[in-house]
């Protein structure tokens, strides 16, 4: 691909240029990152360890935990490095690589949340046929399709973005690289890249959101047909964790990407919520609101401490 860029690196201005605030921000985001690693690794271990959780719902949850580890690790290590470094630079190639993995992991998570919504619909509408419908072959196929579509989408965007030239401007008013942050720095025609990004956003993220929306419309109609209030409450509780995760992911994502790219504090806060905070919260959402997960954690801890007695 053609690229006649004069500059070889960008400067990530990050969250603050105040040298007194940066160490505090480093400690804060280091703690958040460690909690993200610990929480998602715990879910991976618990689900793998406990055979009672080897059902489709937790198979998808395990994939979500792995994705949250990936999504957070694309941005937070570089953020932490820049908070301690005077030279807050990233190469053009490194920046585009970060864009690729950010879009690939975020896109896969978007697809997976749609898959999990369908899983909840089948579990509530056809509980007796759940294991037969959501068989291992279908689950593996849905996960592979999610990864494949997201990586293809990210690859198309990056291949088109490689045609962008960068001549003088280097400052990115953000803590990570995104195509929307690179457009103001480009000295070449960015129409093709913008159209590719717009099409992928509409088809990928909004498409998945519509699938989730219609799944929950069907779920709600099914729940309302249940005669007993206990049955309705029990049915809704099986999808409350997923619904909370969807609200965090899409709520912060829509607020971030529907806003004009200005580098404002509000924009940075929404970006942090989307790419840093949400991956930390998902393990808490699925652990605190799920009796089976809490019971599995207790069983694993009992077995762990019994081994050291």
């Amino acid at each position: 691909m053609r690229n006649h860029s004069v500059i070889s690196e960008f400067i990530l201005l990050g969250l603050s240029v105040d040298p007194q605030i940066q160490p505090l921000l480093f400690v804060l985001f280091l703690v958040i990152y460690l909690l993200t690693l610990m929480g998602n690794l715990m879910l991976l271990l618990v689900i793998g360890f406990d055979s009672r959780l080897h059902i489709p719902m937790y198979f998808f949850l395990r994939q979500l935990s792995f994705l949250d580890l990936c999504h957070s690790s694309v941005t937070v290590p570089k953020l932490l490095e820049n908070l301690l470094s005077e030279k807050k630079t990233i190469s053009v190639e490194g920046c585009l690589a970060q864009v690729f993995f950010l879009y690939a992991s975020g896109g896969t998570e978007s697809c997976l949340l749609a898959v999990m919504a369908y899983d909840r619909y089948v579990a509530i509408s056809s509980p007796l046929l759940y294991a037969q419908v959501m068989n291992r072959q279908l689950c593996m196929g849905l996960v592979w399709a999610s990864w494949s579509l997201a990586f293809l989408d990210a690859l198309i965007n990056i291949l088109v973005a490689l045609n962008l030239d960068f001549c003088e401007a280097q400052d990115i008013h953000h803590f990570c690289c995104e195509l929307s942050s690179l457009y103001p720095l480009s000295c070449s025609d960015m129409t093709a890249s913008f159209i590719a990004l717009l099409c992928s956003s509409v088809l990928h993220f909004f498409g998945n959101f519509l699938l989730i929306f219609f799944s929950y419309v069907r779920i709600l109609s099914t729940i309302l047909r249940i005669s007993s209030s206990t049955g309705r409450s029990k049915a809704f509780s099986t999808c409350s964790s997923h619904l909370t995760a969807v609200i965090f992911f899409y709520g912060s994502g829509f607020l971030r990407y529907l806003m004009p790219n200005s580098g404002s504090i509000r924009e940075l806060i929404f970006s942090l919520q989307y790419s840093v905070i949400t991956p930390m919260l998902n393990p808490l959402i699925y652990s605190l609101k799920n009796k089976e997960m809490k019971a599995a954690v207790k069983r694993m801890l009992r077995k762990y401490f019994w081994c050291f007695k």
Side-chain angles (χ1 to χ4, degrees), residues 20-182:
Q20 293 183 327
I21 295 179
Q22 287 179 356
L24 297 176
L25 290 174
F26 174 83
V27 173
L28 172 63
F29 288 106
L30 178 61
V31 170
I32 290 174
Y33 186 53
L34 291 175
L35 288 174
T36 302
L37 294 179
M38 290 169 57
N40 285 289
L41 284 173
M42 182 200 71
L43 281 186
L44 288 171
L45 288 172
V46 169
I47 295 172
F49 162 81
D50 199 318
S51 59
R52 302 180 197 186
L53 301 182
H54 292 176
I55 59 175
M57 174 183 171
Y58 295 105
F59 172 74
F60 295 132
L61 179 55
R62 201 176 187 197
Q63 298 294 321
L64 183 65
S65 294
F66 179 71
L67 277 169
D68 281 336
L69 285 174
C70 295
H71 195 64
S72 182
S73 297
V74 171
T75 56
V76 179
K78 187 62 180 177
L79 168 63
L80 292 173
E81 177 192 336
N82 286 344
L83 285 171
L84 293 183
S85 174
E86 293 184 7
K87 187 181 179 183
K88 306 177 188 302
T89 58
I90 184 170
S91 67
V92 173
E93 295 79 9
C95 189
L96 291 174
Q98 188 179 61
V99 170
F100 172 79
F101 287 110
L102 189 66
Y103 286 7
S105 57
T108 307
E109 185 158 345
S110 174
C111 289
L112 192 62
L113 287 171
V115 167
M116 294 172 79
Y118 174 71
D119 171 73
R120 292 299 82 209
Y121 165 67
V122 174
I124 291 172
S125 63
S126 307
L128 298 179
L129 298 175
Y130 177 64
Q132 182 179 345
V133 174
M134 299 302 295
N135 56 68
R136 181 171 178 80
Q137 185 177 0
L138 178 62
C139 292
M140 290 294 294
L142 290 171
V143 168
W144 276 109
S146 298
W147 281 95
S148 301
L149 286 172
F151 270 76
L152 179 62
D153 178 64
L155 181 62
I156 291 172
N157 275 286
I158 289 301
L159 289 177
V160 178
L162 286 175
N163 285 312
L164 297 175
D165 296 330
F166 304 97
C167 301
E168 295 181 2
Q170 290 181 281
D171 293 350
I172 298 177
H173 296 272
H174 212 292
F175 60 87
C176 67
C177 291
E178 294 181 353
L179 286 181
S180 56
S181 301
L182 296 182

Side-chain angles (χ1 to χ4, degrees), residues 198-306:
L198 182 63
C199 290
S200 69
S201 298
V202 171
L203 295 174
H204 200 100
F205 286 94
F206 284 94
N208 285 325
F209 179 76
L210 286 175
L211 290 174
I212 293 170
F213 177 77
F214 286 121
S215 293
Y216 272 98
V217 168
R218 299 293 298 273
I219 288 171
L220 184 60
S221 66
T222 302
I223 290 175
L224 292 176
R225 288 199 300 268
I226 299 174
S227 57
S228 68
S229 59
T230 304
R232 286 195 298 269
S233 176
K234 185 177 180 181
F236 182 76
S237 67
T238 64
C239 57
S240 60
S241 296
H242 174 261
L243 186 57
T244 305
V246 168
I247 291 170
F248 273 109
F249 182 82
Y250 275 98
S252 56
F254 283 152
L255 289 171
R256 163 64 186 96
Y257 292 108
L258 292 179
M259 288 177 63
N261 190 59
S262 61
S264 65
I265 294 297
R266 186 169 58 176
E267 179 189 335
L268 292 175
I269 289 173
F270 288 139
S271 292
L272 286 170
Q273 170 65 45
Y274 175 75
S275 59
V276 179
I277 306 300
T278 298
M280 178 191 70
L281 292 178
N282 279 342
L284 293 174
I285 292 169
Y286 278 96
S287 297
L288 297 177
K289 296 175 71 68
N290 189 305
K291 293 180 180 179
E292 290 179 330
M293 277 300 304
K294 287 190 284 189
V297 170
K298 290 177 182 177
R299 284 194 295 269
M300 189 182 77
L301 291 176
R302 277 201 302 267
K303 186 172 182 179
Y304 176 80
F305 287 118
W306 178 261

